C-alpha cells in the first residue's frame, strides 16, 4: 500500500565515495586535480577551435560542442562533491538534487547525441567525400546540434517531472556522490513502476538507437576504407576517425560497464566508485585523445600558446 502521508522532503544526504575520515583529504585533492585537468583541457580544445580558422569545419564544430558539454557535465557533480568534502557536510537540498539530476541527464544525453552526429560526419566525409561540403553545410550542422539539445532537454525534463510525482519517506540517504536517478527513485515510498518503465524505455531508445547509428556509420566507413588500394590512403582515412572511435569506446564502454557492475553487485558504494569512470575520467581523457592524436589540433594548440 502506498504511503503518502509523509512530511515533504527538503533535503537528501549524499554519502559520497567513502565515509572514512582519513580518505577525505586524498579524495579532495584527487578529484580537484581531475576536475581542473578536465576543465582546462576541454577549455583549451574549445579556444583552439574558435581561434584557428583552419578548424572551422563540421568535425571540429561538433568537437568544440562536445568539449563544452564535458566541462558542464563534470561541473554538475564534482564541485558539489568537493564542497561537501571540504565543509564536511553531506546535505543537498531537494531542489538542488532535482537540478543536479536534470543537468546531469541533459549533458550525458547531449554527449551521447553529439558522438552520434560526429560518427555521421565521419561517415559522410569518408564514404561521400565529393558531397561532404554540400551535405554538411553550416545550416545543417546547426540543425543537427539543435536536435541534440532538444532531445536531451526533453529526456531530462521528462525524468525530472516523473520524480516530482514521488513521495519520500524518512530514509533520505543516497549512497552516491551525486543525485543519481535510480538511487533517488529507490528512496521513494510511493509506487515507482511508471518511473522505472520510463527509465528503461527512454534510456533504451535514446541510448541504443544512437549506438546503432554509430555502429552502422563505422561499418560503412570500414567497408569504404578497405576498398582503398594504397596503405597510405587507408591510414589517412582511418586517422580522421580514430580519435572519435576511441572516445566512443570509452563513453559506451564505461557506461555499460557501470550498468553491468550495478546489476551484478548489491553494493551501492562499489557502483558509485565505478561511476567515476564515466562521470570524471572519460571527460578528462577526451582532450588528450583529440589533442595528442590529431595533427591539426596540435598545430592549433601550439598557435594558441604562442
Amino acid at each position: 500500500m502506498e504511503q503518502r502521508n509523509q512530511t515533504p522532503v527538503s533535503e537528501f544526504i549524499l554519502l559520497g565515495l567513502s565515509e572514512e575520515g582519513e580518505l577525505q583529504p586524498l579524495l579532495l585533492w584527487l578529484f580537484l586535480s581531475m576536475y581542473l585537468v578536465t576543465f582546462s583541457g576541454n577549455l583549451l580544445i574549445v579556444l583552439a577551435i574558435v581561434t584557428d580558422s583552419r578548424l572551422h569545419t563540421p568535425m571540429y564544430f561538433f568537437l568544440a560542442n562536445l568539449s563544452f558539454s564535458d566541462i558542464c557535465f563534470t561541473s554538475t557533480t564534482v564541485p558539489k562533491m568537493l564542497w561537501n568534502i571540504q565543509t564536511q557536510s553531506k546535505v543537498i537540498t531537494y531542489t538542488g538534487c532535482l537540478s543536479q539530476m536534470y543537468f546531469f541527464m541533459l549533458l550525458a544525453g547531449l554527449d551521447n547525441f553529439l558522438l552520434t552526429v560526429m560518427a555521421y560526419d565521419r561517415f559522410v566525409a569518408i564514404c561521400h567525400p565529393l558531397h561532404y561540403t554540400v551535405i554538411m553545410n553550416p545550416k545543417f550542422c546547426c540543425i543537427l546540434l539543435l536536435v541534440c539539445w532538444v532531445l536531451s532537454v526533453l529526456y531530462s525534463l521528462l525524468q525530472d517531472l516523473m520524480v516530482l510525482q514521488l513521495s519520500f519517506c524518512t530514509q533520505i540517504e543516497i549512497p552516491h556522490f551525486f543525485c543519481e536517478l535510480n538511487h533517488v527513485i529507490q528512496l521513494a515510498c510511493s509506487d515507482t513502476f511508471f518511473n522505472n518503465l520510463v527509465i528503461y524505455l527512454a534510456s533504451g531508445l535514446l541510448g541504443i538507437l544512437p549506438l546503432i547509428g554509430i555502429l552502422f556509420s563505422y561499418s560503412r566507413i570500414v567497408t569504404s576504407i578497405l576498398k582503398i588500394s594504397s596503405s597510405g590512403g587507408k591510414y589517412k582515412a582511418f586517422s580522421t576517425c580514430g580519435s572519435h572511435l576511441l572516445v566512443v569506446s570509452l563513453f559506451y564502454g564505461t557506461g555499460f560497464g557501470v550498468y553491468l557492475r550495478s546489476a551484478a553487485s548489491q553494493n551501492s558504494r562499489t557502483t558509485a566508485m565505478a561511476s567515476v569512470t564515466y562521470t570524471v575520467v572519460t571527460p578528462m581523457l577526451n582532450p588528450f585523445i583529440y589533442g595528442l592524436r590529431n595533427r591539426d589540433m596540435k598545430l592549433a594548440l601550439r598557435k594558441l600558446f604562442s
Side-chain angles (χ1 to χ4, degrees), residues 127-171:
C127 299
H128 305 283
L130 298 179
H131 301 92
Y132 178 72
T133 54
V134 176
I135 297 174
M136 300 302 294
N137 60 77
K139 181 180 178 180
F140 184 60
C141 290
C142 291
I143 291 174
L144 289 176
L145 179 62
L146 179 62
V147 170
C148 292
W149 273 99
V150 170
L151 290 176
S152 302
V153 167
L154 291 178
Y155 168 71
S156 54
L157 184 61
L158 172 64
Q159 298 290 8
D160 246 27
L161 290 175
M162 293 293 292
V163 173
L164 280 172
Q165 307 304 314
L166 299 176
S167 56
F168 296 90
C169 303
T170 55
Q171 175 64 27

Side-chain angles (χ1 to χ4, degrees), residues 158-211:
L158 172 64
Q159 298 290 8
D160 246 27
L161 290 175
M162 293 293 292
V163 173
L164 280 172
Q165 307 304 314
L166 299 176
S167 56
F168 296 90
C169 303
T170 55
Q171 175 64 27
I172 56 173
E173 294 183 343
I174 300 175
H176 217 298
F177 64 93
F178 68 95
C179 287
E180 200 270 334
L181 179 62
N182 285 321
H183 285 92
V184 173
I185 290 178
Q186 289 173 9
L187 300 179
C189 292
S190 52
D191 185 19
T192 60
F193 172 77
F194 287 107
N195 293 79
N196 291 322
L197 182 64
V198 169
I199 288 176
Y200 289 124
L201 289 179
S203 301
L205 288 174
L206 300 182
I208 294 176
L209 289 181
L211 179 59

Side-chain angles (χ1 to χ4, degrees), residues 51-194:
T51 57
D52 195 331
S53 59
R54 294 173 301 175
L55 301 184
H56 292 176
T57 63
M59 180 177 77
Y60 292 108
F61 170 73
F62 293 119
L63 175 57
N65 280 277
L66 179 67
S67 295
F68 173 75
S69 176
D70 282 341
I71 291 173
C72 299
F73 181 61
T74 53
S75 297
T76 61
T77 57
V78 178
K80 176 59 179 174
M81 183 185 70
L82 296 175
W83 174 260
N84 286 356
I85 294 175
Q86 178 64 25
T87 60
Q88 297 182 357
S89 171
K90 300 180 179 181
V91 174
I92 184 171
T93 63
Y94 178 76
T95 304
C97 187
L98 287 177
S99 300
Q100 190 180 64
M101 280 194 301
Y102 174 80
F103 286 108
F104 180 84
M105 290 183 290
L106 187 156
L107 294 162
L110 183 61
D111 271 8
N112 182 32
F113 294 128
L114 283 173
L115 289 173
T116 307
V117 170
M118 292 170 74
Y120 175 74
D121 172 74
R122 293 299 84 204
F123 160 72
V124 177
I126 295 175
C127 299
H128 305 283
L130 298 179
H131 301 92
Y132 178 72
T133 54
V134 176
I135 297 174
M136 300 302 294
N137 60 77
K139 181 180 178 180
F140 184 60
C141 290
C142 291
I143 291 174
L144 289 176
L145 179 62
L146 179 62
V147 170
C148 292
W149 273 99
V150 170
L151 290 176
S152 302
V153 167
L154 291 178
Y155 168 71
S156 54
L157 184 61
L158 172 64
Q159 298 290 8
D160 246 27
L161 290 175
M162 293 293 292
V163 173
L164 280 172
Q165 307 304 314
L166 299 176
S167 56
F168 296 90
C169 303
T170 55
Q171 175 64 27
I172 56 173
E173 294 183 343
I174 300 175
H176 217 298
F177 64 93
F178 68 95
C179 287
E180 200 270 334
L181 179 62
N182 285 321
H183 285 92
V184 173
I185 290 178
Q186 289 173 9
L187 300 179
C189 292
S190 52
D191 185 19
T192 60
F193 172 77
F194 287 107

Side-chain angles (χ1 to χ4, degrees), residues 284-303:
M284 181 182 68
L285 293 178
N286 287 353
F288 293 99
I289 294 172
Y290 281 104
L292 298 178
R293 292 177 55 90
N294 190 296
R295 179 176 174 271
D296 292 334
M297 186 57 66
K298 288 180 183 178
L299 294 174
L301 290 171
R302 289 197 191 106
K303 179 181 177 182

